[in-house]
């Protein structure tokens, strides 16, 4: 690790690979790394665990319940990769999976996972974790790090900024350059405001991966 990296502020970021909004936010955070002294610390959460277990599946449509059942697969592979290699591999693997799922719109392509594993130099046999419960405790432990603090009425992404866990930002498309930095600066102000809980407005557009 270089001296410059040591001087950077670590920002834990919890993601589920299947979520398009978390994907956009993650690309924003990578942009922030270029212009602010921060470093993302990639961690996993599970929308499947949140919606099917913690929320007991309440209020889910049949289609969304089916999606949540499928969503176990990619996050289980991420957990297997982290245990096989180290959690440091999650950033590169998330980028490899997310680019294919979201930018390339290959959400129903079963080869996405094996291609992504190969791209980051991990064995393709880790893809078998998608249908295994063997790594679920790893997922739950990581998930609870965020959601025991931020609460169950939010989703992903979750960031921890200067000791405060926040849901979001939910934004599209990802701000670039100094616009990304200004958004970061605003979140720092929010995180450092005692008693701050919520800002929100209804979304009026679909996620853009530009």
């Amino acid at each position: 690790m270089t001296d410059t990296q040591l001087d950077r502020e670590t920002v834990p970021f919890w993601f589920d690979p299947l979520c398009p909004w978390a994907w956009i936010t993650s690309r924003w955070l990578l942009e922030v790394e270029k212009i602010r002294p921060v470093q993302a610390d990639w961690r996993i959460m599970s929308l499947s665990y949140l919606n099917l277990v913690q929320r007991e599946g309440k209020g889910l449509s049949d289609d969304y319940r089916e999606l949540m059942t499928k969503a176990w697969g990619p996050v289980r592979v991420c957990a297997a990769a982290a245990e096989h290699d180290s959690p440091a591999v999650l950033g590169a693997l998330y980028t490899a999976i997310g680019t294919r799922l979201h930018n390339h719109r290959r959400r129903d392509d079963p080869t996405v996972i094996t291609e992504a594993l190969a791209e980051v130099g991990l064995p393709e046999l880790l893809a078998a974790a998608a249908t295994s419960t063997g790594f679920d405790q790893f997922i739950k432990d990581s998930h609870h790090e965020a959601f025991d603090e931020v609460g169950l009425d939010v989703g992903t992404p979750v960031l921890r900024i200067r000791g405060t866990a926040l849901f979001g930002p939910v934004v599209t498309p990802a701000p670039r350059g100094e616009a990304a930095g200004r958004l970061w600066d605003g979140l720092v102000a929010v995180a450092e405001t005692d008693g701050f809980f919520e800002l929100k407005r209804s979304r009026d557009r679909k996620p853009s991966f530009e």
Side-chain angles (χ1 to χ4, degrees):
M1 184 175 291
T2 67
D3 290 342
T4 300
Q5 288 173 313
L6 287 171
D7 292 339
R8 288 177 173 268
E9 176 180 354
T10 299
V11 182
F13 182 103
W14 284 267
F15 67 90
D16 184 305
L18 204 64
C19 178
W21 296 102
W23 173 248
I24 295 168
T25 305
S26 73
R27 301 310 94 180
W28 159 76
L29 187 56
L30 289 177
E31 192 75 9
V32 174
E33 286 185 342
K34 301 175 185 177
I35 56 175
R36 297 290 189 273
V38 303
Q39 183 73 45
D41 176 11
W42 306 104
R43 306 184 185 189
I44 52 176
M45 58 78 67
S46 171
L47 287 171
S48 302
Y49 179 63
L50 177 65
N51 286 294
L52 300 178
V53 179
Q54 291 187 295
R55 294 175 178 167
E56 301 177 331
K58 294 177 181 177
L60 300 184
S61 67
D62 290 343
D63 287 346
Y64 195 74
R65 184 183 295 274
E66 181 180 359
L67 178 64
M68 288 298 95
T69 300
K70 292 179 180 178
W72 275 114
V75 74
R76 282 171 169 164
V77 172
C78 287
E83 288 209 345
H84 176 271
D85 190 285
S86 79
V89 79
L90 286 174
L93 183 58
Y94 182 29
T95 291
I97 293 174
T99 299
R100 289 167 171 81
L101 288 180
H102 305 299
N103 295 71
H104 300 167
R105 303 185 185 278
R106 295 170 58 191
R107 292 171 68 93
D108 297 317
D109 185 344
T111 66
V112 161
I113 295 298
T114 53
E115 284 184 14
L117 288 167
E119 179 179 317
V120 299
L122 292 171
E124 293 185 16
L125 60 84
L126 291 178
T131 56
S132 168
T133 60
F135 299 94
D136 286 6
Q137 192 58 51
F138 182 99
I139 295 169
K140 293 174 186 177
D141 290 345
S142 180
H143 180 101
H144 278 282
E145 283 183 58
F147 283 82
D148 286 357
E149 180 178 350
V150 79
L152 300 183
D153 58 342
V154 299
T156 183
V158 173
L159 301 89
R160 182 179 289 128
I161 300 175
R162 303 190 182 177
T164 300
L166 299 169
F167 166 63
V170 176
V171 60
T172 190
R176 306 292 181 183
E178 187 55 29
R182 288 195 299 270
L183 179 55
W184 166 258
D185 296 340
L187 287 175
V188 170
V190 163
E192 293 183 331
T193 300
D194 182 49
F196 177 88
F197 293 106
E198 188 170 2
L199 273 175
K200 189 173 182 179
R201 64 174 180 164
S202 297
R203 284 174 285 189
D204 61 1
R205 67 189 75 174
K206 294 181 179 179
S208 170
F209 310 118
E210 296 177 2

